[in-house]
């Protein structure tokens, strides 16, 4: 039951592309079937709890601007309940199927391990009720191992194992809560798993701690029978100078090193991708090709600013390509599009939370239509198929299969007096092709 | 025998810290013993052939400025010989023990596979003579798989396997030449192993090609009995939009994926590190901790410009830390400090080539003295030892060893009612400590 | 008369939005009237000579890949003529009204001042004929003061005034050629007007040299009766570490300092804007607000790479906003959209030059339609009008007019016991609004 | 009178270069005379109030870690007094001559204009007493126009003039307080004077507001007889996407535009310089050459992270060059070195505040010795003098003086058949020269 913060905003409905109502969907028609599945099934949208309900609009240079009624100064059970009521009211009015949360987002603040367990348990009961009542589901849960001062030097990678023990407590209960609530995934973002100063840090030691911790999480998942996917969310830096889970390629190497590449996948955030010096679609494609693609944190950074701005996405071309690669990779299994995005701190009204989400949802739905049209057309895949055809047979196939050694390949070049005919990569043609579908 | 380009410059000698002669060493006294080895043995300096003898000072916006006498417009055998004479004269006058080269740096230009093999063979004979006469040794050889138009879409990762065959030809002969010349390492830098456009690229396919190619190289190394180390040089981009060997962590994951983590190590370039968003010392420390540290390409980028400027290093603090971490990691085995650095295109005189190298050599020698003093003092290691002591015994040790599971660690936190006492990371203290040793 | 490089490509025609012909326009219908002017009149497209006809596909890491028939190794009069023939054939087939060039792009290479004047004169005669025959016009001319080794340390800012004299020679004749050819503008991009090394540079002295030089250009313009606009093209770095004409704000200050703010305007390049840490539309809006907006170099950079990639634009949202701000500012007077863009070096076919330009032209035409629709709708301007209404009357108007001093304003706050009511900035709402028009 | 937070730390004394006491100075001997002035007179060190006494260690991802005893949750008069006591105790123990503050740093929190004026007045009385008692002086005062939610859309540039009136109130009283306390300068940093979203912003209008506001400040300064310097502190972004006072060149153009270039100077922050894509020394040299150099905010950013990290400086080479350029420019008049730097959030002990400042002070003192030695040696200036000699007489001097027009310069080149002889820029030689002095 809501307390009325959003009560003046009617449920957001699909009104078609010509709608002038800024609180309606123009593209997201959740039951519309595209490539054999409904939009809702393809896109699996989730609202994140932290940015939308916990953040008060503060930044490093200024105090909160939002004045949400549930931000009363102390995060006691009342405030947590109030927040929960409004959150589910928001989910319902927005019409998204999923949400995501950190343990400390939803619960009353706790001072001790015992209080932590208790307060989390109390709110999980209420979340369960809310979910049953509304039909809103949990895309993923996670534990916040970075905001409390105890984690200032890391959680699993802390020089003090007692801190890692506290982290284990949080993860255990967050994972069990996620399991109980039917979550489709469990995420770990290592906000303080990195370093600020190489001079006081043993990187190899800390990586071993992190590898062991992640194995403990995976083992516990199996022990309790959680069927969802364990996901790591890469980020190159911020808050720490260097985060160990830098990007998809780094996480892949880490998983290989600690024997987890079959157990753990990645939750790719757009803004983290660009902070790491990659395009969003690069990270998606790489994760697919390495077999560790899991889920998406949808947002965007500012291409001229160097920190995690977590803005709502609005680049239709970028999201069209993102959806295209995901669909080509088989689409989401347990993952989905979680909006790890926040309205700007000048966007202080309840309406603004709707504008942010509606714009992003509609953009992604539109991107789905574009991507589906490209897939049905097939030009891109045919182009690639033909471009790499030489590796499917003859010398290329043999070399790839390991049937030619270096001397053999060298001799082949010498004997055939090879002078490869270069072919245009057709980049501009292909970019124009995509532009045509971005509509 | 030189043709006289450098003949007016006397051999560079160590003249002590008070020397005012800009063509002398103030710190690099090659026979001075530091921590039980001579400076020469520790630092293993190499001059690179390409920047110093092949580059004519051109950039994307302007023509060459250097007018070296061996740059006659065509790279025929005469020009190659002339260049070789001057190069060894330079090495000798500078007094460095090593050099490095790409096949096409040293040989006359070749139009066909057969010509490539022949022209390389001719020059390798002459190099062998030069080395015997001067005592200069080969730190590493490599094949240039990026400058010729045939490689515009990659070498091993080219969509056309014939191009990969040509690459195999070059690598085979460059590796065999390196072996014959007693090279300590063989390097692969994948200048075009990446992509400019995701729309025409199958990243997974190309990674498989690259993985297979690298395995072929390793197999061939063993077949011919080369005892040196195979090294990959990471770089995040440039010339391509995205290079597959992005950074140390990415290369590690790649090596794991293709079963090569025991066979191949990394050649870390300072400028590539910073282009990838890491500090130079981060990449060194990470490579050591992952067990794949090999060698160093010494230079620096411009912190305000976003491309590979390959300048001579001049940051004493940075290089002090780099040398410190290398020494802490056991020092070089087969690797060394290769100056992959070029004088600016306004530095058009032969003297400038000396100034660039002398400054860098002396800086590194000075850094060695600083690093050795920090090691003898021991404060940094003691600080870390104490900081992580909790993981050496008790709960920490058990957790790291796999003797505690997630529930066990959580219960430990609960039962002990853990409230970890935070300790200062002492970053400023440690930074001041280093500053004191940077002298 | 063409020599046939493009003869297999039929003139590019407008075929409408449903066209599947990649060599047709889907949006650019040059005679279509939008907001009272034809598309051709609004957009004033130009092809640049340098990237499209002079560049052979080389980059810092590799040789040219394009093998244009007029790239014969020496740039003599024959090669220059051949290039000219193909260039005008390209302009004509593409159907653009304008082109742009540097002196050395079009002329045969010259070794002396006298030869420079003569060779330029010869080709300008032929350009004049070509223009008369084809109707293609000159958007702007310029002198290349950065490629020749003489300019390695700057042109007007060179420590040697003789180099500045050579620059004066080139600019005088390029300006006079532009005048004679009816050019609408004359551009100065200071490719080497900056520094690589602060230690050998007197910035204040060099700025004074540059200020004086620019005044000389403006005086000469008036002397010869040239009615076009003198434009400076800002860029923050590359090739030099720091370019004096960093960005629009910097150029504005420079013009003020040397009394030129009424005489000189800016040619804004998209890629230079983003290299300077600004969005393209920021630079446009700022130039308009400062009264120095002139013309556009249309292209895009790579958001993950840190150098000037000069790619053809493909971001419809970005270009829609760019065109919107330009139209809001009154549109071009003498300026236009020059494509300072190059196909990638893997795009080796003559077709690729067409794909690059067609995609960019069509994108901009589409952006014009989007921008016009936003202007007709008027929401954005109404929003701003209302947002700043407080400054139009009462206390705000008085303060802006200088009728309130600091004490007065402070007293006003005190006496009125001011507690300003904050209003949402509606960023997400406005971004969604734009998204709707980007189609 | 202190409350004891720092009472266990003895006054920091100069103990000479061999001192092993991390709480002593090794270089900063305040009475040591260098180039005719004491170190104290040259360097004019100041401690900033905000980072050292107001910040509790929070960041965007986590809560405060410092637990200073005066951080009691509410900033009432008691807390403000407690903070003030500890601050002056710190200044005294550290032995710096100056401090700097924002109004809201020192005063009790205020809810209304009247309360603001009163609370500021109360604390200014106490500051005055403290200053008299300790001899610590005020380098500059400023008003915080960015932290309070009222300023979320700017202060002087706010769309609502009532907010600008509140800003006027704060600035008036902060300026008058600075005057009363004998401050040497008054600083304006426009933390929210910029925009987050171009779509809701009239840049030209906001610049006019800012220009008018700054004129009001300057007029008030003269009215009250304040003899200190008004300073603007440039920054390119953060907190806003784009700050109007981007960098030195931008501020210069702004001052010219609003007729203030003789009245206002710049306070250059190292971290802001690098965020703007410039080196610290570039910004200093440019400000000197433009005649607007004022003061320094001393700190450093992280070269791999893209936000304002405000770390204590530790790069001896960078600071040596900074001090060198400042001394060459005549040294500080009213300005000084203010440490706008904060210890890392893991540096939680009172000692850490000392380590941060001591390291930075000592580094700067050491840089002063280095810079003085370079000045006494004179090589750099002689090199430049000779390099630009051609502009001192003959053709160069005439051209610079305006006695040669473009045609004249072109004819000179033609008639003399100019072929400029290029000279090496000697960058590596000069860099080695500096390296030698960095000790
Ligand atoms: Co995220
Ligand atoms: Co983020
Ligand atoms: Co290298
Ligand atoms: Co490099
Ligand atoms: Co341009
Ligand atoms: Co460009
Ligand atoms: Co500052
Ligand atoms: Co700062």
């Amino acid at each position: 039951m809501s307390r009325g913060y959003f009560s003046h905003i009617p449920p957001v409905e699909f009104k078609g592309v010509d709608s002038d109502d800024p609180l309606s969907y123009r593209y997201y028609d959740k039951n519309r079937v595209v490539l054999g599945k409904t939009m809702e099934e393809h896109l699996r949208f989730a609202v994140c709890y932290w940015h939308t309900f916990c953040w008060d609009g503060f930044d490093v240079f200024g105090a909160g601007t939002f004045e949400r009624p549930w931000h009363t100064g102390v995060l006691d059970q009342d405030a947590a309940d109030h927040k929960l009521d409004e959150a589910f009211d928001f989910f319902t009015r927005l019409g998204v199927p999923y949400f995501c949360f950190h343990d400390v987002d939803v619960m009353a603040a706790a001072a001790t391990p015992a209080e932590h367990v208790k307060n989390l348990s109390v709110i999980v009961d209420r979340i369960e009720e809310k979910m049953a009542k509304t039909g809103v589901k949990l895309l993923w849960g996670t534990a916040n191992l970075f905001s409390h001062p105890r984690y200032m030097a890391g959680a699993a990678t802390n020089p003090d194992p007692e801190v890692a023990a506290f982290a284990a407590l949080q993860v255990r209960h967050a994972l069990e809560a996620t399991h109980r609530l039917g979550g489709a995934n469990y995420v770990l973002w290592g906000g303080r798993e990195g370093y600020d100063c190489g001079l006081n840090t043993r990187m190899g030691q800390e990586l071993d701690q992190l590898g062991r911790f992640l194995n403990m999480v995976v083992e516990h998942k199996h022990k309790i029978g959680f069927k969802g996917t364990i996901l790591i969310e890469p980020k190159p830096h911020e808050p720490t100078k260097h985060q160990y889970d830098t990007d998809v390629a780094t996480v892949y190497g880490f998983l290989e090193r600690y024997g987890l590449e079959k157990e753990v996948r990645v939750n790719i955030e757009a803004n983290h991708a660009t902070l790491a010096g990659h395009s969003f679609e690069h990270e998606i494609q790489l994760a697919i090709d390495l077999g560790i693609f899991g889920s998406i944190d949808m947002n965007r950074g500012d291409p001229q600013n160097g920190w995690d701005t977590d803005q709502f996405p609005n680049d239709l071309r970028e999201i069209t390509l993102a959806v295209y690669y995901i669909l080509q990779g088989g689409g989401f299994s347990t993952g989905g599009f979680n909006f790890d995005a926040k309205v700007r701190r000048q966007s202080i009204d309840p309406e603004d939370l709707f504008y942010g989400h509606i714009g992003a949802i509609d953009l992604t739905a539109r991107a789905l239509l574009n991507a589906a049209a490209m897939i049905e057309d097939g030009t891109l895949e045919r182009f690639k198929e033909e471009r790499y055809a030489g590796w499917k047979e003859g010398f290329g196939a043999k070399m790839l299969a390991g049937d030619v050694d270096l001397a053999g390949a060298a001799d082949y070049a010498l004997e055939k007096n090879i002078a490869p005919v270069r072919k245009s990569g057709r980049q501009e043609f292909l970019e124009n092709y995509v532009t045509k579908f971005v509509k």
Side-chain angles (χ1 to χ4, degrees), chain A:
Chain A
M1 172 190 26
S2 132
R3 316 272 178 113
Y5 189 65
F6 301 114
S7 62
H8 58 298
I9 293 163
V12 182
E13 290 173 13
F14 171 70
K15 297 194 177 170
V17 73
D18 295 323
S19 168
D20 278 329
D21 178 359
L23 291 168
S24 71
Y25 296 120
R26 298 170 57 245
Y27 294 91
Y28 183 57
D29 179 3
K30 67 180 180 178
N31 298 316
R32 177 169 173 185
V33 175
V34 178
L35 296 179
K37 286 203 286 192
T38 65
M39 280 190 159
E40 189 176 63
E41 288 163 342
H42 272 296
L43 299 172
R44 299 168 60 85
F45 288 127
V47 169
C48 84
Y49 215 93
W50 49 99
H51 283 323
T52 296
F53 304 107
C54 304
W55 184 49
D56 70 358
F58 89 99
D59 66 16
V60 172
F61 295 87
T65 54
F66 290 159
E67 303 183 343
R68 311 285 185 219
W70 57 89
H71 286 154
T72 55
V74 285
L75 180 47
D76 57 13
Q77 192 60 49
D78 257 11
D81 290 345
H82 189 163
K83 186 160 50 164
L84 190 70
D85 285 345
E86 298 293 10
F88 272 81
D89 191 38
F90 181 82
F91 304 152
T92 311
R93 289 176 193 273
L94 191 64
V96 289
Y98 292 101
F99 76 112
C100 298
F101 71 95
H102 299 86
D103 48 4
V104 305
D105 298 339
V106 291
M107 60 187 271
T112 63
E115 221 172 85
H116 181 92
V117 175
K118 199 194 92 214
N119 291 1
L120 179 61
S121 165
V122 168
I123 201 78
V124 168
D125 288 348
R126 299 188 189 173
I127 293 173
E128 198 168 34
E129 285 170 38
K130 287 283 183 189
M131 289 172 68
K133 211 171 290 179
T134 61
V136 174
K137 291 164 289 181
L138 179 61
L139 186 64
W140 47 263
T142 187
N144 178 324
L145 307 178
F146 47 92
S147 292
H148 194 282
R150 85 174 64 89
Y151 295 121
M152 73 177 194
T157 64
N158 203 290
D160 179 356
E162 305 256 303
V163 176
F166 208 115
L169 176 96
Q170 279 191 249
V171 173
R172 178 203 184 163
H173 291 281
L175 178 57
E176 292 178 0
T178 299
H179 182 38
R180 179 171 149 208
L181 297 172
N185 309 270
Y186 183 84
V187 167
L188 295 111
W189 171 62
R192 308 275 176 196
E193 312 295 26
Y195 65 81
D196 287 321
C197 177
L199 301 176
N200 64 20
T201 303
R202 289 196 160 152
M203 194 160 18
Q205 159 83 23
E206 295 200 358
L207 287 171
D208 285 349
Q209 292 173 208
L210 192 58
R212 175 62 202 131
F213 192 88
L214 188 55
N215 267 292
M216 287 161 67
V217 176
V218 168
E219 291 156 12
H220 195 69
K221 163 194 154 163
H222 290 302
K223 188 169 131 191
I224 66 176
F226 178 59
K227 300 297 181 208
T229 311
I230 304 289
L231 299 171
I232 284 186
E233 180 171 335
K235 191 177 184 188
H237 48 236
E238 201 204 11
T240 69
K241 173 194 169 38
H242 174 89
Q243 315 254 139
Y244 294 131
D245 299 329
T246 306
D247 56 10
V248 168
T250 301
V251 169
Y252 177 79
F254 174 81
L255 295 178
E256 283 266 7
R257 184 169 178 85
Y258 296 101
L260 291 164
E261 75 277 7
K262 305 288 184 221
E263 290 283 358
V264 178
R265 296 175 161 238
V266 285
N267 182 41
I268 297 171
E269 182 182 312
N271 202 154
H272 297 178
T274 53
L275 283 172
H278 306 299
S279 69
F280 185 25
E281 62 262 29
H282 169 85
E283 289 289 87
I284 292 171
Q285 184 66 68
L286 181 59
I288 290 169
D289 286 350
L290 295 175
I292 59 170
F293 176 72
S295 195
I296 294 288
D297 262 19
M298 195 74 159
N299 59 21
R300 79 173 204 277
D302 183 301
Q304 281 87 42
N305 291 174
W307 63 94
D308 198 23
T309 65
D310 284 351
Q311 296 177 72
F312 282 95
N314 61 22
D315 183 336
L316 183 59
R317 184 184 191 92
E318 181 185 54
I319 305 307
T320 294
L321 285 174
V323 176
Y324 176 80
Y325 287 124
I326 292 170
L327 292 179
Q328 280 292 124
F332 289 120
S333 50
T334 59
F337 282 116
N338 171 48
F339 294 108
D340 188 358
K342 57 189 185 193
V343 294
R344 301 301 86 191
R345 78 192 275 280
Q346 292 188 47
S347 298
I348 57 179
D349 294 338
E351 284 79 355
D352 293 313
L353 291 174
F354 280 88
Y355 294 138
H357 284 88
I358 288 169
I361 287 170
D362 235 23
L363 188 88
T364 313
R366 201 171 157 187
L368 172 63
L369 297 174
N370 294 343
M374 286 201 290
I375 285 173
E376 287 177 334
D377 179 76
T379 296
L380 283 181
E381 285 312 300
R382 274 193 305 277
F383 185 91
K384 291 185 189 178
E385 194 64 31
E386 189 182 335
R387 194 169 187 234
Y388 292 89
W391 291 93
K392 288 285 165 58
E393 51 180 13
F395 169 78
K398 271 191 268 179
M399 182 168 152
L400 206 51
D403 297 336
V404 177
D405 66 7
L406 192 72
D411 289 344
Y412 172 85
L414 200 61
E415 283 154 23
K416 276 201 60 178
N417 189 25
I418 277 182
V421 176
R422 289 177 292 116
K423 291 179 66 176
S424 169
R426 288 280 183 267
Q427 181 166 339
E428 293 76 16
F429 169 86
L430 295 169
E431 289 176 346
N432 291 353
Y433 171 84
V434 171
T435 302
K436 187 175 159 183
F437 282 85
V438 175
K439 62 189 180 186

